[in-house]
Amino acid sequence: MNSLNLVSTLIVSAHSDPNPKLFSISKAKAKAKAKPYTLICSSRHLSKKLRVSALKDDPPESQQLTRHVADDEGPKQLSPPQTQNAANFDSGWLPAFPHVLVASMSNFIFGYHIGVMNGPIVSIARELGFEGNSFIEGLVVSIFIAGAFIGSISSGSLVDRFGCRLTFQIDSIPLILGAIISAQAHSLNEIIGGRFLVGLGIGVNTVLVPIYISEVAPTKYRGALGSLCQIGTCLGIITSLFLGIPSENDPHWWRTMLYIASIPAILVALGMQFAVDSPRWLCKAGRINDAKSVVRELWGASEVDSAIEEFQSVTKNDGSDLDSRWSDILEEPHSRVAFIGGTLFVLQQFAGINGVLYFSSLTFQEVGVESSALASLFVGVTNLAGALCALYLIDREGRQKLLIGSYLGMAISMFVVASAVILPLEDQFSNSLSILGTIMYIFSFAIGAGPVTGMIIPELSSSRTRGKIMGFSFSTHWVCNFVVGLFFLALVEKFGVAPVYASFGAVSLLAAAFAYYFIVETKGRSLEEIERSLNLKA
């Protein structure tokens, strides 16, 4: 199996949000003088076009983010009724959770298809007649990436026209057909066609899931619920690796595994029949009553009027997603967000996650873990642990802090591994240091660079161009993914492990600096508030 084949089967998506927390204030306090502050998303040496500002004072009446309660009624917390119970259990996330869970199942499908070829590719090659041909083996795996690239590019137009809910159901068609065609394949063309269809569906879903979660989740829980994307991917990978164990003894087991891949796609299609659509998209589509019903169900009746006012005010100022064009992302401030989104994915991929995941199995073998499946499972569990930590931290610490900390941890980890290879250390100690560095790297990635990258782009994007910018950003991801997979082993063979890993560490430091200077903190702010702040020039 060539480098592209092995790397592609171990890809982890980097992948991967409504009203802010509302506070009741008195009439007197509402008239207090507002203090302006400025949010900067660029370094002082760069163009002023890369600066954004926001006002700390309340917006105009039609855009109010707070409510005024009569003095005789006393201050009231305007949180959804679900959060007000005797035990003070914060359950405001519960109404949105089932809808987000159905959407996150698409990431489970993504993870499953990443791992499904890890073991069975040998049996597939033998049965279909291309055993020993590393180029064809790589093609069977990498055609998945080609399909994902096309799916990502087309996803923006689909979301704009049909909305998230219907797009999920349409996208289930290539996922189901692709899995079944692959499972029934008796020729090379059939397996390649099936894998391409699956990739097409995955490309749409990787864009669609973050958009959907960002637009239906309450602002207070948007980060935590968005982290379910990464968790779903990790669980999909682990599940496929577990199910792949019988393939070592049963040469036809791969067909069963691919048939199983169609089941979660069917569940997504059925689940979306009962899920809500994005209230923001419904409002842009003119379905105001439907949007009100969704807001009432997910965020509480007290949020309906203010939320609809916010949606409509942004739509009036920026136009409708239903009418957006690709050329719109070339205009300010959309071009700035597209630049940030594309750069984040370039840095994420060239920080070496796919190369490290591939090489980790060899590192584990050096310390006695001979089973590649067992090594992959260990990596998958580490990745899942990091994603669970991200779920807890992202709404507490913020997106920017997690990104910076994540990349700094990845840089340190890469330098640790490079030192273990270069320095004249005892073999056992050197191997242990390499294992430690690898685990630190994967955990650091999963706690920030993985989940935050896909999550913050829809938060920064405007309502009008969110689908297009996400499609552009993820298509950049797939191109970089392919390039790293194609050249990683060749670079290792030419320069050695230490220089390549040190370069990954250097890119991670660059990514941390980029996050510090360019990323605007979105924690606790509604999508409309973020959009207004990005539209203001310093």
Side-chain angles (χ1 to χ4, degrees), residues 5-78:
N5 179 11
L6 288 170
V7 175
S8 300
T9 58
L10 287 171
I11 302 166
V12 174
S13 172
H15 345 339
S16 200
D17 310 24
N19 290 350
K21 184 176 181 180
L22 304 180
F23 296 94
S24 300
I25 58 176
S26 67
K27 291 182 178 179
K29 196 170 183 179
K31 297 179 180 178
K33 184 176 181 181
K35 297 181 180 179
Y37 66 95
T38 300
L39 292 173
I40 304 220
C41 63
S42 67
S43 90
R44 65 173 66 93
H45 305 294
L46 296 177
S47 169
K48 290 184 178 180
K49 290 184 179 181
L50 293 177
R51 292 176 180 265
V52 297
S53 64
L55 295 178
K56 192 175 180 181
D57 57 327
D58 286 343
E61 185 66 25
S62 62
Q63 301 174 6
Q64 290 252 341
L65 300 179
T66 58
R67 293 200 178 189
H68 300 256
V69 181
D71 291 336
D72 57 350
E73 293 178 342
K76 295 180 180 179
Q77 183 71 23
L78 294 180

Side-chain angles (χ1 to χ4, degrees), residues 386-403:
L388 290 172
C389 289
L391 183 148
Y392 176 79
L393 293 172
I394 195 164
D395 283 321
R396 290 170 172 81
E397 301 299 328
R399 282 64 157 160
Q400 185 187 46
K401 187 180 292 187
L402 277 190
L403 266 182

Side-chain angles (χ1 to χ4, degrees), residues 7 26 117 149 206 223 308 389 465 496:
V7 175
S26 67
M117 288 290 179
F149 173 81
T206 52
I308 298 300
C389 289
T465 59

Side-chain angles (χ1 to χ4, degrees), residues 79-100:
S79 56
Q82 296 92 333
T83 63
Q84 303 172 2
N85 53 44
N88 292 323
F89 174 67
D90 190 358
S91 59
W93 54 273
L94 278 176
F97 180 74
H99 309 276
V100 171

